[in-house]
Amino acid sequence: MKLVGSIDEIRFRNEENGYTITVLDVDGDPVVAVGTFPPVSEGENVELIGDFVIHNKFGRQFKATDVRKVAPDTLDGIIRFLSSGLIKGVGPKTAFALVGAFGKDTLEVIEKYPSRLKVIRGISPSKAMAIHEEYIKNKSMQDAVMYLQSQDIPIGTALKIYRFYGEDTVSAVSLNPYRLIEDIDGIGFITADRIAAKQGIPKDSPFRMRAALLHVLAMGGDDGNTYLPHEKLLEDTAKLLGCEVEPLSGETDVLIIDGKLKRVDIDDTEAIYLRQVFQAERGASVDLIRLINESNKVVYDTRDDIKQFEELSGVTLHDNQKDAVDSAINSGVSVITGGPGTGKTTVVKCIIDILDKQGVESMLMAPTGRAAKRLSESTGREATTIHRALMRDVGQDYRTAVSPLKCGAVIVDEVSMVDVFLLNSLLRRLASGTRLILVGDKDQLPSVGAGNVLADIIACELIPVVMLTHIYRQADESLIASNAHLVNEGKMPNIDRKDKDFFFIKAKTQEQIADTIVDMAARRIPKYLDVDPLKLQVLCPVKNGICGTVAINNRLQQVLNPSGKEVKFGDTIYRVGDKVMHIANNYQLAWVRRYPYYETGEGVFNGDMGVITDVNTETGELYVLLDDGRNVTYPADVRGQLMPAYAVTVHKSQGSEYIGVIMPIIGGSPMIMTRNLLYTAITRATKFVALIGDEYYLKRMVDNNYIAKRYSGMKSFLIEMFENNKILYGV
């Protein structure tokens, strides 16, 4: 329904996202209205589209889905509008004088005939022009926002666009709406293409073709690729646009000339990169070669130090564990890889012990907060996320920082999760002579972000790699490690032992599987292990479907946290007590840690998990306590970076470790239901694994060794630089 009124009072306003609580004067009656408003002031007239709702705390109010400003049409309304402070230089006294002189024509006089304002006592020619300019500026914003709304752009997004372009908004968007993709966070090709179509921009517009090429490359990055072969790029883009391939080739050349794309020959393939991705992958390769070539060439005999470590710690290192220690101590860059139970942690502790004896300061890092916490607990040394380590001393702009980290060795755990951007940021900060020790499991899923870092580093055969194969966690102690290795070897796991920590529960239909997952996660396993259900983790292969994360999250929320303070965002309910995960890197999001000492900072990153401690039902703000003790406030326009996390995809679980893991075993695409995915899920658990489903599909996953091809150039770059004996310091 439509509601027209004058703003009598503004009770709350969030300038970032436009969320506003107002009291309107509607034909003399006060009406509370809430929604996303353009910049407004008391006295302004607005036209709202929406419905009346009953708020459980504040009663009846009008919830607006669309808001448009309209010019005040009464003398009182004009006076209140001019008195609001919206126009600098005009207060209540001047407003009364202006309306007394010009009546209902006051706003038209200010806009079109500012020289006439001089008749008012106290208004000089310069002040008259200043009032005119302020009014035009305000009207320009109003017109721009209304124009954007007419293009079906939500008011919150319209405000972001206006803040970026200012008075040039209409001309910028109407000339080339595709520039919104690069300039405005949250606007992608599909949205820009819809706006362009509404404006009648031709489907064969060069702007459209170039935007589509960039979009397809960006989507390729979401699939883990750092580049696409030129032929594939053209074919995928032509399919998206419904056009021929031929005209796209010329637009690729334009984008290369403009510096937005980079053309490189990789293994006899014409590779097309987004410029920033090329710089990251090439830059990381340059710095790896630099660390290799400029490392200390004096060989250090580690045998006595290893023997002392064994005596003091009461362990005996296997031969290939000793090789891993020796390689790490004597190489500029080294890789240690192995599955669960192969002693990677013991090797890292021995390396740290020897570095301490050498007087070498070491830094321990991992891609996620959970992985860093686990590394710290297992080694007894401080460990931090790579992001936080890079932010020390330089703040949130670490991505462009070049000042060296103050250490002689860096040990990175869970390196399979590291993408080319994070690796490049880290390597840029390592001084020549710093030892880089990369630790991870080569058989786990690759990074969510672009690149094939660990696989490419191993495949180039230029960097020492030690593969730990001896299993220390014996099967009589735990089936988790032994079954993980069986799966990795393409063999069926042992699912017949009912007295252990690895269970397979048979269920035929997806409905039965989902019912069993909810019962196991909410009741049976918490009781069996005597743990909080939030300490367990459901890992799903996919997001959609009966056994996908969306449906399972909804069901577990209903069982574990059925009521309480909440806010709704789209189809998602966020409730106090909910388990949540941050799903984007946000370098500006502030946090506060109150224990064990007070600390503040910025930066919350993909994969950070926590619990909602409070919600503001009026503003939509969420308050989250992350697992590492940081408290974060999520404004309404940032809460989309949080997702419910009672169930997450296996990909999102990388780098994490849980007391218990529950996973549905279902039919699905062979490109998803792979051995690699199953292995990664199993290795996330420390005490308990429950696989629920059909044994037929379990065997299909074990037998399916499909690994999606990633287009990446690091291996090629490393070999090229090494063969040409080049030591490069820039891209």
Side-chain angles (χ1 to χ4, degrees):
M1 62 177 294
K2 182 186 294 186
L3 192 71
V4 178
S6 172
I7 296 177
D8 191 50
E9 177 188 356
I10 298 177
R11 290 182 175 175
F12 174 84
R13 172 132 181 111
N14 184 327
E15 292 298 341
E16 285 298 312
N17 58 32
Y19 183 82
T20 307
I21 303 173
T22 69
V23 178
L24 300 183
D25 180 345
V26 180
D27 297 329
D29 294 326
V31 175
V32 175
V34 301
T36 304
F37 281 57
V40 291
S41 296
E42 294 175 2
E44 288 194 275
N45 286 5
V46 289
E47 179 183 282
L48 313 182
I49 302 296
D51 287 295
F52 280 101
V53 298
I54 304 298
H55 191 280
N56 56 11
K57 182 177 179 181
F58 299 105
R60 186 172 184 264
Q61 55 186 219
F62 191 85
K63 189 171 184 179
T65 56
D66 186 63
V67 181
R68 298 179 189 275
K69 291 166 53 168
V70 295
D73 56 0
T74 66
L75 296 180
D76 182 60
I78 295 172
I79 291 171
R80 295 184 66 214
F81 168 67
L82 293 175
S83 302
S84 66
L86 189 66
I87 299 176
K88 294 178 183 178
V90 178
K93 184 177 178 181
T94 304
F96 272 104
L98 287 168
V99 173
F102 304 113
K104 289 188 177 182
D105 297 329
T106 300
L107 298 182
E108 183 180 7
V109 171
I110 293 174
E111 179 182 0
K112 299 179 180 178
Y113 313 106
S115 62
R116 294 177 59 187
L117 301 181
K118 294 181 293 182
V119 302
I120 305 299
R121 186 176 180 182
I123 297 183
S124 64
S126 60
K127 184 173 181 180
M129 188 54 62
I131 292 172
H132 163 75
E133 290 173 352
E134 279 292 315
Y135 179 83
I136 293 298
K137 181 180 177 182
N138 181 268
K139 190 172 185 298
S140 171
M141 178 184 63
Q142 178 179 330
D143 291 344
V145 171
M146 290 182 67
Y147 163 77
L148 294 171
Q149 286 184 279
S150 72
Q151 305 301 311
D152 297 327
I153 298 174
I155 183 67
T157 305
L159 292 172
K160 288 167 63 175
I161 294 172
Y162 183 80
R163 280 196 290 269
F164 188 88
Y165 295 120
E167 295 180 2
D168 297 326
T169 297
V170 175
S171 61
V173 175
S174 60
L175 177 65
N176 178 17
Y178 296 103
R179 65 184 295 185
L180 294 170
I181 301 170
E182 295 182 60
D183 294 340
I184 309 299
D185 184 40
I187 293 186
F189 176 80
I190 304 302
T191 299
D193 203 38
R194 188 185 70 241
I195 297 170
K198 192 163 185 177
Q199 294 188 51
I201 291 178
K203 288 193 173 184
D204 60 354
S205 163
F207 292 137
R208 184 171 189 252
M209 288 190 280
R210 293 170 204 166
L213 287 162
L214 295 172
H215 171 73
V216 168
L217 274 174
M219 292 302 97
D222 289 345
D223 292 333
N225 302 301
T226 57
Y227 73 86
L228 289 178
H230 193 193
E231 185 177 346
K232 178 174 174 56
L233 171 61
L234 297 180
E235 289 174 353
D236 290 354
T237 306
K239 185 177 179 180
L240 172 67
L241 297 181
C243 71
E244 298 298 321
V245 167
E246 186 177 354
L248 292 169
S249 184
E251 299 306 329
T252 304
D253 293 337
V254 173
L255 289 169
I256 291 171
I257 293 170
D258 287 347
K260 294 182 178 180
L261 298 183
K262 178 73 176 179
R263 194 195 319 261
V264 184
D265 182 63
I266 294 179
D267 299 329
D268 297 323
T269 297
E270 185 183 1
I272 305 296
Y273 278 85
L274 290 170
R275 168 68 67 169
Q276 64 271 28
V277 182
F278 169 76
Q279 291 174 333
E281 188 161 59
R282 181 82 174 182
S285 304
V286 166
D287 282 320
L288 283 170
I289 293 295
R290 172 177 62 85
L291 292 174
I292 293 169
N293 282 315
E294 298 190 5
S295 62
N296 188 347
K297 303 303 180 184
V298 177
V299 176
Y300 181 84
D301 190 339
T302 60
R303 287 176 294 183
D304 289 343
D305 289 322
I306 291 174
K307 186 175 181 180
Q308 288 180 19
F309 173 80
E310 290 176 322
E311 292 172 352
L312 290 173
S313 58
V315 300
T316 301
L317 270 64
H318 191 269
D319 285 346
N320 70 342
Q321 284 183 305
K322 294 178 182 178
D323 291 341
V325 173
D326 190 71
S327 174
I329 295 298
N330 287 296
S331 305
V333 182
S334 60
V335 174
I336 301 167
T337 182
T342 55
K344 295 190 295 293
T345 299
T346 301
V347 169
V348 170
K349 291 167 74 173
C350 184
I351 292 169
I352 295 170
D353 185 68
I354 295 175
L355 290 172
D356 286 346
K357 289 179 180 178
Q358 292 181 334
V360 176
E361 184 177 352
S362 56
M363 292 182 70
L364 276 61
M365 305 179 192
T368 67
R370 282 187 168 228
K373 183 178 180 181
R374 189 173 74 251
L375 180 61
S376 180
E377 291 170 347
S378 63
T379 61
R381 301 289 285 265
E382 179 190 5
T384 183
T385 64
I386 300 173
H387 296 95
R388 292 196 68 199
L390 296 177
M391 289 169 74
R392 288 179 181 173
D393 304 324
V394 299
Q396 66 187 30
D397 294 329
Y398 77 83
R399 288 167 290 178
T400 57
V402 293
S403 56
L405 295 176
K406 299 174 182 177
C407 63
V410 169
I411 301 172
V412 181
D413 196 14
E414 295 286 359
V415 73
S416 63
M417 294 181 63
V418 176
D419 61 31
V420 292
F421 299 105
L422 190 55
L423 181 68
N424 184 48
S425 295
L426 172 61
L427 295 178
R428 188 192 302 121
R429 302 284 300 283
L430 300 187
S432 297
T434 303
R435 295 171 222 180
L436 176 64
I437 301 149
L438 304 173
V439 183
D441 186 343
K442 68 179 180 63
D443 295 314
Q444 286 187 24
L445 292 169
S447 62
V448 175
N452 213 15
V453 168
L454 182 56
D456 279 354
I457 288 175
I458 292 173
C460 78
E461 299 183 349
L462 301 174
I463 294 168
V465 177
V466 177
M467 298 186 183
L468 304 179
T469 55
H470 183 74
I471 303 174
Y472 287 85
R473 300 180 199 166
Q474 299 300 320
D476 59 346
E477 297 174 358
S478 169
L479 282 178
I480 296 175
S482 59
N483 275 344
H485 284 279
L486 286 172
V487 168
N488 199 33
E489 293 166 5
K491 301 174 183 176
M492 280 288 284
N494 184 345
I495 58 176
D496 297 323
R497 298 283 297 274
K498 303 300 182 184
D499 60 334
K500 287 292 181 179
D501 52 8
F502 193 103
F503 292 83
F504 184 81
I505 301 168
K506 294 181 180 180
K508 286 292 184 184
T509 69
Q510 291 207 19
E511 289 80 1
Q512 291 173 336
I513 294 171
D515 290 344
T516 306
I517 286 172
V518 172
D519 186 43
M520 294 285 286
R523 185 180 64 85
R524 292 169 60 183
I525 299 179
K527 183 177 180 180
Y528 177 74
L529 296 178
D530 190 25
V531 298
D532 184 338
L534 297 188
K535 298 293 184 183
L536 307 175
Q537 189 62 57
V538 177
L539 299 181
C540 302
V542 293
K543 291 191 293 185
N544 299 318
I546 296 171
C547 293
T549 58
V550 175
I552 297 296
N553 268 316
N554 288 338
R555 293 192 59 178
L556 284 173
Q557 184 187 53
Q558 292 170 15
V559 174
L560 295 173
N561 195 27
S563 61
K565 288 177 66 177
E566 65 183 41
V567 294
K568 192 171 183 180
F569 179 60
D571 295 328
T572 304
I573 294 174
Y574 297 93
R575 190 173 289 146
V576 172
D578 276 343
K579 182 178 180 180
V580 289
M581 173 183 281
H582 190 91
I583 57 172
N585 289 333
N586 188 324
Y587 300 90
Q588 286 79 43
L589 192 56
W591 53 262
V592 176
R593 193 197 309 274
R594 297 185 174 88
Y595 181 85
Y597 52 86
Y598 187 82
E599 182 185 10
T600 62
E602 292 181 326
V604 182
F605 302 103
N606 193 0
D608 286 344
M609 296 182 72
V611 175
I612 297 175
T613 58
D614 198 5
V615 302
N616 188 320
T617 56
E618 287 302 311
T619 65
E621 285 185 326
L622 304 175
Y623 307 92
V624 176
L625 175 62
L626 298 177
D627 287 348
D628 60 6
R630 290 179 293 158
N631 294 272
V632 183
T633 299
Y634 284 80
D637 58 337
V638 179
R639 66 187 172 193
Q641 295 179 6
L642 277 180
M643 59 167 276
Y646 298 104
V648 301
T649 62
V650 179
H651 284 86
K652 286 291 186 184
S653 75
Q654 290 175 263
S656 297
E657 197 171 76
Y658 313 101
I659 291 175
V661 163
I662 307 160
M663 180 181 179
I665 302 298
I666 56 178
S669 167
M671 292 185 290
I672 297 175
M673 310 301 291
T674 64
R675 179 192 305 171
N676 193 219
L677 186 92
L678 178 62
Y679 173 77
T680 301
I682 293 171
T683 56
R684 299 305 88 208
T686 59
K687 292 186 178 180
F688 191 95
V689 171
L691 306 180
I692 303 168
D694 193 318
E695 192 171 339
Y696 168 77
Y697 290 119
L698 177 63
K699 187 171 191 319
R700 273 185 55 176
M701 290 187 76
V702 172
D703 291 342
N704 180 14
N705 198 29
Y706 171 81
I707 297 176
K709 176 176 175 56
R710 286 193 169 197
Y711 295 105
S712 61
M714 182 172 288
K715 173 188 171 183
S716 177
F717 291 152
L718 289 170
I719 292 173
E720 172 201 351
M721 293 174 194
F722 188 82
E723 289 178 347
N724 293 334
N725 196 28
K726 293 178 180 178
I727 303 175
L728 307 176
Y729 290 91
V731 177

